[in-house]
Amino acid sequence: TDNLEVIKEQVKYFDGLILSGGGDPDPNLYGEDCLQELGDITPERDAFELVILEEFLKTKKPILGICRGLQLMNVFYGGTLYQDIKYIDTNIQHKQKWLADLPTHDINILENNILFEIFGKKARTNSFHHQMIKDLGKELTSIATANDGVVEAIQNKNYPFFYGVQWHPEMMASRGNLRMKKIFDKFIESCENLKK
């Protein structure tokens, strides 16, 4: 919907917000033309999710972004994206063709965040993206990177629970990966704590 009053009403009923994966954010949002490798875009979805994110930030309720969700969070804060993997120097396969729950590359995690609490300094994740953060948005901190420097997780440390991950923990959790499930456990716990 593009009705702001309806969106505000929706936000009242949500305990938390997950910005899920999907197509590419429209490069127009960060001042670029569409390059040849750009995937499917849905400007209507971009507009809706950016408004709902803006309204959600006013509530201090938990926010979690996954893949496209992380990218949209970054754009919201004025960051930019590489429109395709070809624009960075890497040999790592970031768009795996194997089973969805199969971890394929390492990430290096900084301290003092939920990912460090769950995994420690390193984790191995799956990878299904061809776009990634170029310039990090204001107020955001990179808290995990792949070995090639690609930003794999972000946090807004000025917000009670605001995390984005570039991989798909839901795919890994659905196949029994309990540590990936803990990301969602922390999200739900944060939602419940806010209601108390």
Side-chain angles (χ1 to χ4, degrees), residues 107-111 115-116 119-123:
I107 61 169
N108 307 294
I109 303 168
L110 298 179
E111 296 183 9
L115 296 181
F116 187 83
F119 301 104
K121 291 182 178 181
K122 285 195 175 286

Side-chain angles (χ1 to χ4, degrees), residues 151-162:
V151 175
E152 290 284 339
I154 58 172
Q155 178 184 10
N156 181 342
K157 293 186 176 182
N158 300 317
Y159 194 85
F161 189 106
F162 185 104

Side-chain angles (χ1 to χ4, degrees), residues 16 31 33 53 60 64 67-68 84 88 96-97 99-100 103 114-115 125 127 137 145 149 152 161 168 170 182 194-195:
D33 292 328
L53 177 55
K60 301 297 183 187
L64 175 64
C67 197
R68 167 196 156 85
D84 190 70
I88 69 166
Q96 71 190 59
K97 301 168 180 69
L99 295 173
I114 63 164
L115 296 181
T125 69
S127 199
T145 56
E152 290 284 339
F161 189 106
H168 284 268
E170 79 284 4
K182 284 185 180 178
L194 198 63
K195 291 169 70 174

